[in-house]
């Protein structure tokens, strides 16, 4: 399958020079030469051999390994990263000027290397989420310029290029292998030196990083899918940073180590519209009517979430004022004992509990419900293939490009590469395409909400809750990068 996602024109026309999350989070003051190593526990083991083109791309960006031409700053704007600046030459052409930088294998970041890396991304199968529905070419312009031309006008191109899935790697990464190899080929402040299957990874400080030497001398990563084990590792001092602490474990951490961050992540129930019970729009409507989202927010998430109102939640601050009601919803049909299988994953421990509550609510409405719970890397391919009737998924709506339209294109259009709902609706595709063509910020936002209304009208997705994310940060740690887009965690200023 393809893969997918995209934000707003005014958020990217002028490069922002400060507050950039993904650039490393601050200067590397202090005694960088003798900095301690950081110990980090991540929730999601690599699902795709750390390919930069899939879900693993955010692992690499969160650990400060990879960078793209641009990054997202604290306001969600496009900010300089490997590109020091850019300008729009026409509605289809942009010129990016590179900064002086070095790859971790010692070669220079040149215009030809960047153009080649972006070309590889356009040829990847499946394609990176950020390129869903976009055709672009990258060409060298002088010694430091890369001209990127799109087949159709793309007003959010600088924002799109911030995607972790469009990370720039050296030629060695693509050197005739059957996969892209990020080990020692990226540009970030930390160099990936060793990967131990799906259990651990070792990173060393990259001393020639363009943004200054990192304060930590390296990062030792453990992939711990069990949330209770991650929280325990922080409590006992076995790790310095632990991501995605389960709500049920939050109270076991000292208040000064428990950091809650409002995010653009929405947990939803995605209903399989192509096969099985929920191919029937009336039964999808019946499922939606049976679900009480406030029970999930107050009970399962213990106040660390808001009840679902749409695909975009409160962290997308402009959405509520532009939201319109769903259009074209079918009338609910009687379930009459129809059997459905709901799948989810346990890397985020709340999700199996959410699925249990949904099971109770749907069975009360007349469905028969079976649950399938796996670790995410063992669930994704079956979910993408439409094996299940429904999937409970926690999804950051702005993680791929910062553009809210990206998640709509990726998850709900016929060509979408992360379309767990298997939705293919001409009206939805038309609404998303119309929104993608808007350059003006206000009109683009309004069109995005119209597309959301069209998607919600199909009942392919039931938004459940809008989440806060809880990160465990040891008391000796400073400079952890906690952002609503969940792209960053460790940067040049992170240390203990």
């Amino acid at each position: 399958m393809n893969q997918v996602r995209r934000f707003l024109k005014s958020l990217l026309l002028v490069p922002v020079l400060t507050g950039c999350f993904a650039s490393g989070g601050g200067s590397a003051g202090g005694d960088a030469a003798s900095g301690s190593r950081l110990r980090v526990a991540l929730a999601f083991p690599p699902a795709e051999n750390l390919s930069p083109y899939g879900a693993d791309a955010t692992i690499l960006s969160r650990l400060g390994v990879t960078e793209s031409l641009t990054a997202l700053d604290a306001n969600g704007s496009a900010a300089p990263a490997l590109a020091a600046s850019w300008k729009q030459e026409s509605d289809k052409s942009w010129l990016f000027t590179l900064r002086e930088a070095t790859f971790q294998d010692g070669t220079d970041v040149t215009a030809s290397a960047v153009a080649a890396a972006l070309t590889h991304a356009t040829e990847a199968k499946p394609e990176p989420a950020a390129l869903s529905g976009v055709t672009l070419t990258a060409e060298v312009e002088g010694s430091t310029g890369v001209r990127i031309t799109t087949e159709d006008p793309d007003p959010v191109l600088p924002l799109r290029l911030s995607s972790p899935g469009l990370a720039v790697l050296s030629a060695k990464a693509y050197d005739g292998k059957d996969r892209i190899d990020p080990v020692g080929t990226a540009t970030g402040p930390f160099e990936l030196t060793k990967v131990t299957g799906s259990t651990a990874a070792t990173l060393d400080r990259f001393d020639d990083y363009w943004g200054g030497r990192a304060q930590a001398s390296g990062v030792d990563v453990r992939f711990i899918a069990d949330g209770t084990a991650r929280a325990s590792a922080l409590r006992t001092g076995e790790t310095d940073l632990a991501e995605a602490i389960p709500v049920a474990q939050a109270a076991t951490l000292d208040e000064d180590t428990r950091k809650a961050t409002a995010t653009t992540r929405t947990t939803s129930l995605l209903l399989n519209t192509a096969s099985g019970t929920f191919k029937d729009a009336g039964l999808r409507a019946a499922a939606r009517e049976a679900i009480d989202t406030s029970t999930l927010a107050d009970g399962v998430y213990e106040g660390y979430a808001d009840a679902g109102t749409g695909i975009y939640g409160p962290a997308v601050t402009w959405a509520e004022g532009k939201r319109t009601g769903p259009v074209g919803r079918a009338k609910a049909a009687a379930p009459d004992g129809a059997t459905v299988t709901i799948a989810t994953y346990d890397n985020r421990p709340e999700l199996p509990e959410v699925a249990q509550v949904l099971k109770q609510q749907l069975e009360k409405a007349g469905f028969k419900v079976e649950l399938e719970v796996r670790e995410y890397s063992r669930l994704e391919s079956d979910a993408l293939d439409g094996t299940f009737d429904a999937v409970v998924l926690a999804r950051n709506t702005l993680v791929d490009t910062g553009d809210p339209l990206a998640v709509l294109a990726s998850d709900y259009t016929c060509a979408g590469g992360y379309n767990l709902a298997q939705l293919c609706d001409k009206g939805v595709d038309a609404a998303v395409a119309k929104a993608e063509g808007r350059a003006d910020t206000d009109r683009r936002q309004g069109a995005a909400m119209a597309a959301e209304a069209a998607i919600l009208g199909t009942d392919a997705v039931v938004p459940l809750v809008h989440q806060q994310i809880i990160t465990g940060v040891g008391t000796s740690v400073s400079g952890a990068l906690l952002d609503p887009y969940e792209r960053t965690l460790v940067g040049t200023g992170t240390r203990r």
Side-chain angles (χ1 to χ4, degrees):
M1 282 192 179
N2 298 344
Q3 283 199 310
V4 184
R5 311 140 188 170
R6 297 203 252 303
F7 199 63
L8 319 166
K9 186 178 181 181
S10 68
L11 298 183
L12 54 81
L13 293 183
V14 180
V16 179
L17 298 175
T18 60
C20 179
F21 279 122
S23 66
S27 62
D31 185 6
S34 59
S36 299
R37 294 183 66 83
L38 289 164
R39 300 162 301 170
V40 176
L42 297 185
F44 291 86
E48 299 160 334
N49 296 313
L50 287 176
S51 167
Y53 298 147
D56 291 353
T58 53
I59 295 176
L60 297 171
S61 70
R62 285 174 68 74
L63 293 173
V65 175
T66 55
E67 298 176 300
S68 304
L69 280 182
T70 62
L72 289 184
D73 74 359
N75 298 314
S77 303
L82 291 177
S85 63
W86 54 87
K87 63 179 181 180
Q88 186 171 11
E89 299 178 312
S90 70
D91 61 352
K92 299 180 182 180
S93 178
W94 301 71
L95 181 62
F96 292 80
T97 301
L98 304 180
R99 70 171 70 251
E100 186 175 337
T102 305
F103 288 112
Q104 293 161 352
D105 61 7
T107 59
D108 292 335
V109 177
T110 63
S112 59
V114 171
L118 292 175
T119 299
H120 280 293
T122 66
E123 296 170 348
K125 301 297 180 185
E127 67 185 1
L131 294 182
S132 179
V134 176
T135 300
L136 63 78
T137 57
E139 298 176 332
V140 174
E141 176 62 29
S143 59
T144 61
V146 177
R147 177 172 288 106
I148 299 179
T149 304
T150 56
E151 187 174 88
D152 299 309
D154 187 6
V156 296
L157 182 66
L159 202 54
R160 182 187 310 284
L161 292 174
S162 73
S163 170
L166 297 181
V168 175
L169 303 177
S170 71
K172 182 181 177 182
Y174 315 98
D175 200 13
K177 301 180 177 68
D178 57 359
R179 68 182 183 90
I180 309 304
D181 189 359
V183 176
T185 60
T187 61
F190 293 102
E191 176 183 354
L192 185 64
T193 58
K194 182 181 179 181
V195 180
T196 306
S198 61
T199 61
T202 302
L203 289 70
D204 291 335
R205 178 172 54 210
F206 177 44
D207 288 339
D208 291 330
Y209 178 55
W210 61 264
R213 298 177 73 196
Q215 293 186 12
S217 59
V219 184
D220 297 313
V221 182
R222 286 193 296 158
F223 298 104
I224 304 175
D226 183 79
T228 300
R230 287 195 303 279
S232 177
L234 188 79
R235 285 197 309 271
T236 59
E238 296 175 22
T239 194
D240 303 308
L241 287 167
E243 72 168 359
I245 296 296
V247 168
Q249 291 294 314
T252 71
L253 300 181
D254 293 338
E255 186 175 354
D256 56 355
T257 66
R258 187 176 66 236
K259 310 296 182 183
T261 306
T263 73
T264 53
R265 180 174 295 278
T266 295
T267 293
S268 299
L269 179 67
L270 295 152
L271 305 178
N272 186 340
T273 62
S275 63
T277 296
F278 290 131
K279 184 177 181 179
D280 185 325
L283 292 177
R284 296 200 299 273
R288 184 246 310 153
E289 289 185 357
I291 294 170
D292 179 2
T293 59
S294 62
T295 299
L296 300 172
D298 297 335
V300 176
Y301 286 90
E302 300 179 17
Y304 284 101
D306 297 299
T309 55
I311 294 171
Y312 313 116
V316 185
T317 55
W318 51 264
E320 189 58 37
K322 297 177 181 293
R323 178 165 282 125
T324 59
V327 294
R329 275 179 166 167
K331 182 179 179 180
D336 291 333
T339 299
V340 296
T341 298
I342 299 176
T344 193
Y345 46 100
D346 54 12
N347 305 73
R348 298 186 183 278
E350 296 82 15
L351 298 188
E353 188 175 350
V354 167
Q356 283 286 354
V357 174
L358 294 178
K359 180 177 188 293
Q360 296 168 8
Q361 293 180 349
L362 291 175
E363 287 181 339
K364 184 177 180 180
F367 290 95
K368 292 182 180 179
V369 182
E370 299 175 356
L371 299 183
E372 179 79 21
V373 179
R374 304 178 189 172
E375 194 273 323
Y376 180 79
S377 63
R378 298 190 298 108
L379 181 80
E380 183 183 68
S381 61
D382 282 345
L384 287 169
D385 287 342
T387 301
F388 311 110
D389 294 295
V391 177
V392 178
L393 179 78
R395 183 86 156 92
N396 194 314
T397 57
L398 299 183
V399 71
D400 296 311
T401 65
D403 176 17
L405 291 175
V407 74
L408 303 188
S410 169
D411 294 18
Y412 304 108
T413 64
C414 296
Y418 201 66
N419 190 348
L420 302 187
Q422 313 296 315
L423 181 64
C424 188
D425 182 280
K426 290 181 179 179
V428 167
D429 276 22
V432 172
K434 181 178 179 180
E436 290 176 327
R438 301 300 190 197
D440 174 77
T441 296
D442 189 64
R443 295 181 67 196
R444 190 175 180 88
Q445 291 174 345
M449 298 314 294
E452 182 200 61
I455 293 165
L456 294 177
T458 69
D459 282 323
V461 56
V462 182
L464 301 174
V465 295
H466 307 295
Q467 293 179 241
Q468 296 177 30
I469 196 76
I470 305 171
T471 306
V473 182
T475 55
S476 63
V477 176
S478 61
L481 305 178
L482 309 178
D483 75 271
Y485 314 108
E486 301 181 77
R487 292 182 173 194
T488 63
L489 182 62
V490 175
T492 56
T494 314
R495 64 172 299 166
R496 67 180 176 95

